[in-house]
Amino acid sequence: MPSDRLQQLVDSLAEQLQRSVVIDDPQVRLLATSRHFGDEDDVRVRAVLQRDAGSAAVAHVLGSGVSAWSRAGWIPAQPAIGMHPRWCVPVRWRGELLGLLMVIDAGQALTAEEAAVIGTAGEELAAVLVADRHAADAATAARELLVAGLLSRDPAERARALAGLAGAVPAAGQVRAVVLALHGVGAEDEEQARAAVRRGLATLGSRAGTAVLTTAGPDGGAGLLLTPGPVDDAAVAELAARVVAEATGVAAGRFTCVAGTGPPVAGLAEAWTSHRTAELATRAVPRLAPGPVVDGSALGVHAVLLRVPAEEWDATALPPELVALRAADPQGRLTGTLAAWLDAGGNAPAAAEALHVHRTTLHYRLDRVRELTGADLDDGGTRLRLHLGLAVARLLG
């Protein structure tokens, strides 16, 4: 909530200019707003009614580069979302961006004197914002630090986090993790990325009866769904899709967003295991899954392979028999046959049915695999090596 002084300054400036004024935080979340002066647009009306300007407006404001501005300037109109031009003053304290002071001016008719008045107001607002922010940031940072500790692989750190959260969160019969990962974030996109992560994770709270714990950074974040009882997998997937959709809206094409979901676990003490699976699932896009949401519980053997550092993956990871087969089988028919047979656990009728071929055709192709590779397909170790090799080939694309 804004302090009384912050609201007073915004109201005073608006009355002096006879224009609508708003102060947002660096991620374009509403802190304080004046009354309307007949200049309101669709974005402002939504922001006042819902205390949220919408992902498209956030993307447009941050996409204008305001996070890096050292002085005031125009945010251009965006007719597609019903947004008039805004004169924007980046409110800074010792170089740190604390907020965005914006004045609607559809005709871009601000005088130099009015711009100077707005600039002076920005300096006053900076002093108020820095005081308000310290307390709020300290509380948020402390909470997120505990959630991050809860997801640590260090048992001692998890124990400390559990103790710190004791009594501060509702008891949960089941916990599931949703991890949001961003790819392609440039140095100039960090504030936009933070806004994307926070807005995306905030949608997790839309499910009735669900408490949410989150931790976030510029390259992604995690949310823990705390529920009294089981939640349907489809419902969790739908929530994760909303997270990605909201984050993608803020990204506006500057970077991409994917999400992974983890399995249900009993209580916060085991939340880190669900988080680990969900985090691994985000690595499966696009090599193993088109995304943007991947169920970590469905990764199979790839959940193990994805733990290997990416720099270790190259063609030398493939067994020689598979290398020889791929060289002799450019169309992939024999390779696909081998994969289907191994997936079926060596059950020829099941593999033939999956491939929609006669069993005679299946056996002929497997014989060709033996001839081309020299592989003993009756040997369990050879089967395991080839099956893993095929999984690695998927990772390599």
Side-chain angles (χ1 to χ4, degrees):
M1 293 295 292
S3 67
D4 291 341
R5 181 57 180 156
L6 185 66
Q7 188 65 57
Q8 289 168 5
L9 287 170
V10 168
D11 288 339
S12 174
L13 177 61
E15 293 295 337
Q16 189 173 355
L17 297 171
Q18 290 295 292
R19 290 185 174 91
S20 296
V21 174
V22 66
I23 180 77
D24 289 334
D25 75 1
Q27 294 167 26
V28 202
R29 292 177 295 193
L30 183 65
L31 296 177
T33 184
S34 71
R35 70 178 179 87
H36 296 323
F37 287 84
D39 53 0
E40 61 272 14
D41 56 18
D42 293 345
V43 169
R44 175 171 171 78
V45 170
R46 170 176 171 155
V48 172
L49 293 179
Q50 302 182 27
R51 296 200 67 80
D52 174 40
S55 58
V58 173
H60 180 60
V61 171
L62 294 178
S64 299
V66 293
S67 299
W69 287 4
S70 58
R71 57 186 179 182
W74 287 105
I75 296 174
Q78 180 58 279
I81 58 174
M83 184 173 177
H84 295 328
R86 281 151 169 74
W87 180 252
C88 178
V89 177
V91 180
R92 297 184 180 274
W93 182 266
R94 296 176 180 173
E96 180 186 5
L97 183 65
L98 300 178
L100 302 169
L101 171 59
M102 289 186 278
V103 178
I104 293 181
D105 184 9
Q108 295 187 238
L110 279 177
T111 65
E113 291 77 12
E114 289 173 324
V117 168
I118 299 169
T120 300
E123 294 172 2
E124 293 183 66
L125 285 165
V128 176
L129 281 175
V130 75
D132 288 351
R133 179 171 174 175
H134 284 168
D137 278 2
T140 300
R143 173 77 164 238
E144 290 199 352
L145 192 61
L146 286 173
V147 177
L150 195 64
L151 304 179
S152 169
R153 297 183 214 177
D154 180 359
E157 191 171 346
R158 293 200 301 271
R160 287 192 293 270
L162 275 172
L165 289 167
V169 296
Q174 188 179 91
V175 179
R176 294 187 75 157
V178 175
V179 172
L180 175 67
L182 309 186
H183 300 296
V185 177
E188 70 282 3
D189 300 326
E190 283 199 5
E191 203 60 59
Q192 194 161 345
R194 290 180 192 279
V197 172
R198 293 194 182 282
R199 288 182 63 88
L201 293 178
T203 65
L204 292 174
S206 63
R207 187 181 186 278
T210 300
V212 178
L213 293 175
T214 62
T215 182
D219 57 353
L224 297 177
L225 302 172
L226 284 60
T227 56
V231 179
D232 183 76
D233 288 347
V236 175
E238 182 180 347
L239 280 174
R242 289 185 196 171
V243 171
V244 172
E246 186 66 23
T248 299
V250 176
R254 298 177 73 91
F255 44 86
T256 58
C257 313
V258 300
T261 61
V265 295
L268 281 177
E270 296 301 316
W272 73 279
T273 61
S274 182
H275 171 265
R276 179 65 173 142
T277 301
E279 190 274 330
L280 286 170
T282 64
R283 302 185 194 177
V285 180
R287 292 176 295 176
L288 303 176
V293 176
V294 180
D295 178 3
S297 301
L299 290 173
V301 70
H302 289 102
V304 177
L305 298 176
L306 285 167
R307 297 169 190 268
V308 178
E311 59 269 20
E312 293 295 326
W313 293 112
D314 58 39
T316 64
L318 299 180
E321 298 97 331
L322 189 55
V323 173
L325 178 61
R326 287 159 62 88
D329 179 38
Q331 301 303 317
R333 178 177 295 175
L334 296 179
T335 305
T337 299
L338 176 63
W341 182 69
L342 291 172
D343 286 343
N347 184 318
E353 183 177 352
L355 291 167
H356 305 291
V357 299
H358 194 276
R359 272 183 248 176
T360 302
T361 301
L362 174 76
H363 286 298
Y364 168 76
R365 292 182 185 176
L366 291 176
D367 285 341
R368 284 290 293 150
V369 171
R370 293 184 177 94
E371 292 172 12
L372 293 169
T373 65
D376 180 2
L377 298 184
D378 296 324
D379 177 67
T382 299
R383 289 191 189 188
L384 176 60
R385 186 169 66 252
L386 292 173
H387 211 178
L388 282 174
L390 288 165
V392 170
R394 285 192 64 196
L395 281 174
L396 291 173

